[in-house]
Amino acid sequence: DNYLNNKKIIIISEKGQINDLIKLSSAVCVVTSQVGFESLIYGKEVHVFGMPFYSGMGLTHDHNDFSCKKNNHKVTLEQLVFGSLIKYQKYLDPRNNTICEIEKVIEYIAQKRRLSNLIPQFCHALDLTPWKARQVNRFVLEGSRDKANFWKKFNNNMENIMVWGKSQKSDKFKSEVAEFISIEDGFIRSVGLGGDLYSPLSLLFDKKGIHYDGSKVSDLEDLLQNYKVNNSEKSRARKLINLLIKLKISKYNLRLNKEIKLPNNINKQIIAVLGQVETDNSIIYGVPNNTIPKTNFALVEKVRNDYPDAYIIYKPHPDTESGLRAKGNKEAYIYNNADLIARRTSLEDLFNKVDRVAVFTSLAGFEALIRGVSVTTYGLPFYAGWGLTEDKLNNHIWSKRRTRKLTIEELTFIALVKYPFYASVKFNCLTEVENIIDEIVSSNMKKNLEQIIFKYWGFLKDYFLKISK
């Protein structure tokens, strides 16, 4: 009472972290609450009216006579923190179920909080299939947010919404909500194609746009333009690059062993042209209209015109080779401009045998950059325009927003660490990219019953509806 005399008391209904309240305080009064310990860490004056573990050691103002008598030993704040948080306790890292240091647990909590802060409360996911809703929930539930339902439609009472990818249908809702979040697969996704319903190990949640829409700023472009990568982060990125190269990690990690057989003594530049699914959003929104026809045939033809003396290898997209997506217009005539069609071959083998890679917007262009291969772009993928690629659209208005020059370490850190979220299938929790790489390496790539059911769910539903009539 003596301390509180003439003090103004404000009762705050706490809706977030107690840390924010501690920061605003000049002093903190507790009985035995751990908030007192946390306040000491923040350098606050702490008044104690009970006997918590941190009292009686010269760090707190003790208003209980017993507290003053319990310990004659005075300690520093650093000694208290070491004894209570490091020496006294054992920690288990949920990302790999191994005993760890406290720093690893703090990293995990920070990742969960980052996702929780990104996704607002009462955020509705629209038009998700049952499979996609299940995958999104692996992430949003970890961020302590509401479960996403499948096939939910927009209504005017929705304040915040999430949508998968990008479409004109969903874009019209942007002006009607407070928060609009686009979800997409991450750049290191799985061991197996998304069309085969292998669960994504990473997802992207973007509030500004989406990375493959070159006409607008995305969260990724904003980070690449403005985020300052520190030396520790650059070092982590370099280690990550070395790991990706050593373990041959890519987006889908298809285990293709077929090698490309090139003629002997090719005394010319070898260029790989990487095909894409022509109906994919990365082509639709990543290549400006009136620049180049958005077909693989047109891309190979343009590369032949730009590099008439080169030896050109065309690699079809794995989704079209596996039959999951339709082949492009005039795909059968690509051999007119290509010296070799590399079917069902390893990207890693291809990168080792070419001097340059040419793409519209393919993520494989980024994977080639990481491996030190020269890259030419004919669209505006997220990795173009930063001084690392030869960009045929360098003078296009879309490119003018990107004025910064990046190193490959800066690009890699932002694109593979800062921008995405990773979730372990094995341990069912948010994790880091390095842990995901370990999971990919140890994966057996076998399909489970869930994948089979969801892949043929539409067919099975129609069949049972038919026979029930």
Side-chain angles (χ1 to χ4, degrees), residues 7 15 22 74 109 113 134 169 183 189 208 339 349 351 363 425 439:
K7 305 292 183 183
K15 296 182 180 179
I22 293 173
K74 306 301 181 185
I109 294 171
R113 186 180 296 173
R134 187 176 181 85
K169 177 183 176 182
I183 309 171
R189 185 197 182 278
K208 289 186 172 66
D339 297 288
D349 180 58
F351 292 152
L363 180 64
V425 171
E439 196 161 322

Side-chain angles (χ1 to χ4, degrees), residues 38-91:
E38 295 169 2
S39 300
L40 286 175
I41 293 174
Y42 277 85
K44 301 298 180 178
E45 181 181 310
V46 177
H47 293 258
V48 175
F49 295 86
M51 281 183 57
F53 70 88
Y54 53 86
S55 66
M57 289 180 275
L59 296 172
T60 54
H61 297 269
D62 301 316
H63 299 263
N64 185 321
D65 291 338
F66 293 105
S67 190
C68 299
K69 295 175 183 178
K70 81 172 186 179
N71 196 338
N72 293 322
H73 182 60
K74 306 301 181 185
V75 301
T76 65
L77 178 61
E78 291 77 13
Q79 289 173 317
L80 177 64
V81 170
F82 178 82
S84 57
L85 294 184
I86 299 174
K87 188 70 174 177
Y88 181 57
Q89 303 188 61
K90 300 289 186 183
Y91 297 92

Side-chain angles (χ1 to χ4, degrees), residues 256-259 315-316 318 320-323 342-346:
L256 302 172
N257 297 318
K258 182 180 176 182
E259 294 187 0
K315 178 170 172 51
T320 62
E321 287 193 302
S322 65
R343 301 188 189 280
R344 299 187 180 277
T345 54
S346 159

Side-chain angles (χ1 to χ4, degrees), residues 18 37-38 51 85 126 129 224 251 324 344 373 384 451:
I18 192 68
F37 174 55
E38 295 169 2
M51 281 183 57
L85 294 184
L126 302 186
T129 64
L224 291 169
K251 180 175 183 177
L324 291 171
R344 299 187 180 277
V373 181
Q451 283 175 273

Side-chain angles (χ1 to χ4, degrees), residues 218-269:
S218 65
D219 282 340
L220 178 54
E221 183 179 300
D222 183 64
L223 287 168
L224 291 169
Q225 180 68 27
N226 298 300
Y227 183 79
K228 305 299 182 185
V229 183
N230 63 39
N231 289 334
S232 175
E233 291 167 340
K234 290 176 186 177
S235 177
R236 181 181 176 185
R238 175 40 58 187
K239 291 176 182 177
L240 179 57
I241 289 170
N242 293 339
L243 195 62
L244 295 173
I245 296 171
K246 177 182 176 181
L247 299 177
K248 302 179 181 179
I249 299 298
S250 61
K251 180 175 183 177
Y252 296 115
N253 301 289
L254 302 175
R255 289 164 183 173
L256 302 172
N257 297 318
K258 182 180 176 182
E259 294 187 0
I260 300 167
K261 294 182 179 179
L262 297 176
N264 294 326
N265 303 319
I266 300 177
N267 296 317
K268 55 177 70 174
Q269 182 178 199

Side-chain angles (χ1 to χ4, degrees), residues 235-446:
S235 177
R236 181 181 176 185
R238 175 40 58 187
K239 291 176 182 177
L240 179 57
I241 289 170
N242 293 339
L243 195 62
L244 295 173
I245 296 171
K246 177 182 176 181
L247 299 177
K248 302 179 181 179
I249 299 298
S250 61
K251 180 175 183 177
Y252 296 115
N253 301 289
L254 302 175
R255 289 164 183 173
L256 302 172
N257 297 318
K258 182 180 176 182
E259 294 187 0
I260 300 167
K261 294 182 179 179
L262 297 176
N264 294 326
N265 303 319
I266 300 177
N267 296 317
K268 55 177 70 174
Q269 182 178 199
I270 303 175
I271 300 177
V273 181
L274 305 181
Q276 292 177 245
V277 178
E278 292 179 5
T279 57
D280 195 79
N281 276 347
S282 62
I283 293 280
I284 295 171
Y285 297 106
V287 181
N289 296 329
N290 304 319
T291 56
I292 177 176
K294 302 179 186 185
T295 68
N296 292 318
F297 173 83
L299 177 60
V300 177
E301 186 177 54
K302 189 73 170 69
V303 172
R304 172 56 71 198
N305 290 336
D306 290 345
Y307 303 92
D309 298 324
Y311 185 91
I312 295 177
I313 302 171
Y314 171 69
K315 178 170 172 51
H317 191 276
D319 274 350
T320 62
E321 287 193 302
S322 65
L324 291 171
R325 304 286 291 274
K327 292 183 179 180
N329 187 29
K330 294 186 177 181
E331 192 99 4
Y333 300 100
I334 285 177
Y335 67 87
N336 291 338
N337 290 302
D339 297 288
L340 178 68
I341 309 294
R343 301 188 189 280
R344 299 187 180 277
T345 54
S346 159
L347 261 180
E348 199 71 35
D349 180 58
L350 185 69
F351 292 152
N352 288 330
K353 292 177 177 176
V354 302
D355 304 300
R356 179 174 295 276
V357 164
V359 299
F360 274 128
T361 59
S362 172
L363 180 64
F366 174 55
E367 294 171 359
L369 273 183
I370 285 176
R371 288 155 176 83
V373 181
S374 298
V375 176
T376 300
T377 65
Y378 288 83
L380 194 70
F382 72 86
Y383 53 85
W386 310 109
L388 295 169
T389 51
E390 178 192 34
D391 303 313
K392 296 298 183 180
L393 299 183
N394 192 48
N395 294 320
H396 193 276
I397 188 171
W398 289 6
S399 301
K400 299 301 182 183
R401 299 189 306 267
R402 303 180 181 183
T403 60
R404 191 180 178 194
K405 299 303 178 186
L406 297 172
T407 65
I408 190 62
E409 288 81 10
E410 290 171 323
L411 176 66
T412 299
F413 180 83
I414 292 170
L416 295 185
V417 179
K418 186 71 177 174
Y419 181 50
F421 289 91
Y422 297 90
S424 168
V425 171
K426 183 177 181 180
F427 296 106
N428 193 32
C429 66
L430 291 182
T431 190
E432 301 293 330
V433 59
E434 292 85 355
N435 295 329
I436 286 299
I437 291 173
D438 288 340
E439 196 161 322
I440 286 171
V441 170
S442 62
S443 171
N444 59 21
M445 205 177 170
K446 289 182 179 179

